[in-house]
Amino acid sequence: MGYLDQIYETFLGSFYLRIAPLYVVATVVIGAAIYFFRERGAGLTGFFSWLFPKSIYLHASHLNDIKIFFAGRLLVLFGVFNLFFVSPLTIVAVMKSLDGLATTGSEAAAGPMAQSPLGQTVLVTVVLVVVADFCTYWVHRLHHEWSVFWPFHAVHHSAEVMTPITVYRKHPVYDLINGFVRNLAIGLITGLVLYATFDKVSYLQIGQANVIYVLFNLLGANFRHSHIWISYGRWLEHILISPAQHQIHHSSAVEHHNKNYGEIFALWDWMFGSLYIPEKREDLVFGLADAEGQLMEQPHPSLRRALIEPVESSYREVRRIFRGRRAGSQVELASRDPMLPPEPVE
């Protein structure tokens, strides 16, 4: 792959990227359907003004999202994450299990797909996504509930408006931890379980992305970070996380704190007591808030602060914990850094 192709793949071309051109087109198409069938009679000025309002897309928070996105993709482009994501255990496990990738056209006949029954391939495809989603749930939850990790995830929650770019408003440390845990778990599952069970292991993919993620992104994933409310209904929202549920996760309201950690599946939230299902459309305010739901001053107004402030806050929290242990007493809540997560709401 040429260098220009590599740049395109990193910033736009990967089927894992939610802002890949295909997914952007799908978002516009779904948005048009929502607008013309649900919103057009609400006195709105026009479709594109509704889908891309200037008040959101020219907001300082969104402009900072763009800077953080480019900084993160540059780290990917220069292979910085690879130094941490790849461990010997993961390499051995994945190389053993995924002997080859699912291919299309004439290559498919000679590839592992030809030697793997369709049912087995579908099962592996689903297992890989379920394992990755389960890991994402716990990494996400621990970043909310472990005070040392929270500052790195607070960058994401400090977004005051949400657009599809906001999904990439993440501190590199959060991405490193999430990527390492996911890769390690997938490597263990594929290497120790799937490879021991099947002679050949392959999964369905499009553009080197698991087909389930492709469908997830095509069917409206970009609305999760947006101003557009899409609810799946009470029954389905016990199984899948809707865009509305993820928007609630970003809400500053006390009743929404520490809810809906899931990415694709709501099952994990349902199982572990963090599920919140809205009864009706709710008016949401985004941004960091304290335990009483009061909005905090924006701690990440620039790319520099978004990268440095979490390191400073995490370091202060580590020192606070060790000072408390040395003193042999419980440190009072009042002494906690204001950037720490709100106490879980039952």
Side-chain angles (χ1 to χ4, degrees):
M1 180 185 294
Y3 192 64
L4 291 178
D5 290 337
Q6 186 178 356
I7 293 175
Y8 174 76
E9 180 76 15
T10 301
F11 286 90
L12 286 177
S14 170
F15 276 82
Y16 276 109
L17 277 174
R18 290 191 194 174
I19 60 168
L22 178 62
Y23 302 145
V24 172
V25 170
T27 300
V28 172
V29 171
I30 295 172
I34 294 172
Y35 176 80
F36 286 106
F37 288 101
R38 190 182 77 181
E39 306 286 352
R40 188 168 57 171
L44 302 174
T45 55
F47 168 61
F48 283 102
S49 296
W50 170 79
L51 189 61
F52 304 109
K54 290 182 181 179
S55 61
I56 291 178
Y57 281 81
L58 295 182
H59 195 285
S61 176
H62 174 245
L63 298 180
N64 204 29
D65 288 356
I66 296 173
K67 296 175 187 176
I68 296 171
F69 165 75
F70 277 103
R73 299 320 293 173
L74 284 172
L75 292 176
V76 172
L77 180 65
F78 291 112
V80 174
F81 287 147
N82 292 340
L83 299 176
F84 300 90
F85 283 174
V86 181
S87 67
L89 179 59
T90 303
I91 292 174
V92 171
V94 174
M95 289 298 291
K96 274 188 172 184
S97 58
L98 302 181
D99 295 319
L101 299 176
T103 56
T104 58
S106 59
E107 296 178 357
M113 283 286 290
Q115 302 176 43
S116 301
L118 179 59
Q120 173 185 311
T121 301
V122 171
L123 176 62
V124 172
T125 303
V126 173
V127 167
L128 292 177
V129 169
V130 169
V131 171
D133 200 67
F134 182 77
C135 292
T136 296
Y137 171 86
W138 279 109
V139 169
H140 191 182
R141 181 163 184 163
L142 291 177
H143 272 80
H144 273 262
E145 299 181 4
W146 285 16
S147 58
V148 173
F149 288 164
W150 165 248
F152 299 109
H153 188 51
V155 174
H156 186 61
H157 279 269
S158 67
E160 297 163 287
V161 296
M162 292 209 296
T163 75
I165 295 290
T166 307
V167 72
Y168 299 105
R169 184 189 175 102
K170 296 178 182 178
H171 195 278
V173 171
Y174 178 87
D175 277 334
L176 287 172
I177 295 172
N178 187 41
F180 178 79
V181 172
R182 282 167 58 114
N183 281 4
L184 183 62
I186 290 174
L188 286 170
I189 293 296
T190 56
L192 302 180
V193 178
L194 298 180
Y195 188 74
T197 305
F198 305 121
D199 292 332
K200 286 285 183 178
V201 176
S202 58
Y203 63 96
L204 299 172
Q205 62 175 278
I206 298 175
Q208 297 186 353
N210 188 302
V211 69
I212 295 178
Y213 283 115
V214 174
L215 292 174
F216 172 70
N217 289 330
L218 279 174
L219 296 177
N222 278 325
F223 290 104
R224 293 165 185 269
H225 295 92
S226 78
H227 59 289
I228 298 170
W229 180 274
I230 300 177
S231 174
Y232 294 161
R234 186 167 186 83
W235 182 85
L236 191 55
E237 285 181 341
H238 280 84
I239 301 171
L240 300 174
I241 291 286
S242 70
Q245 283 175 290
H246 191 73
Q247 291 164 15
I248 283 170
H249 175 73
H250 278 264
S251 168
S252 60
V254 174
E255 63 268 24
H256 299 152
H257 289 176
N258 301 311
K259 300 295 183 182
N260 299 344
Y261 294 117
E263 182 176 23
I264 296 178
F265 300 110
L267 291 169
W268 318 126
D269 286 292
W270 192 12
M271 289 170 61
F272 299 110
S274 53
L275 183 64
Y276 182 98
I277 298 177
E279 297 293 337
K280 58 182 179 179
R281 185 168 184 166
E282 300 187 25
D283 293 325
L284 306 176
V285 175
F286 303 129
L288 291 172
D290 61 23
E292 285 74 44
Q294 298 297 315
L295 286 174
M296 299 178 180
E297 183 179 353
Q298 174 60 263
H300 311 121
S302 65
L303 173 62
R304 179 177 177 274
R305 291 308 300 160
L307 295 177
I308 295 176
E309 188 280 333
V311 177
E312 295 173 343
S313 291
S314 182
Y315 173 69
R316 287 198 300 271
E317 179 60 11
V318 170
R319 290 186 61 189
R320 186 194 71 83
I321 292 172
F322 278 101
R323 283 201 305 269
R325 288 180 177 175
R326 284 200 300 268
S329 62
Q330 188 72 25
V331 177
E332 294 295 328
L333 181 63
S335 69
R336 291 164 62 89
D337 190 302
M339 283 294 297
L340 296 182
E343 294 299 303
V345 179
E346 297 298 334

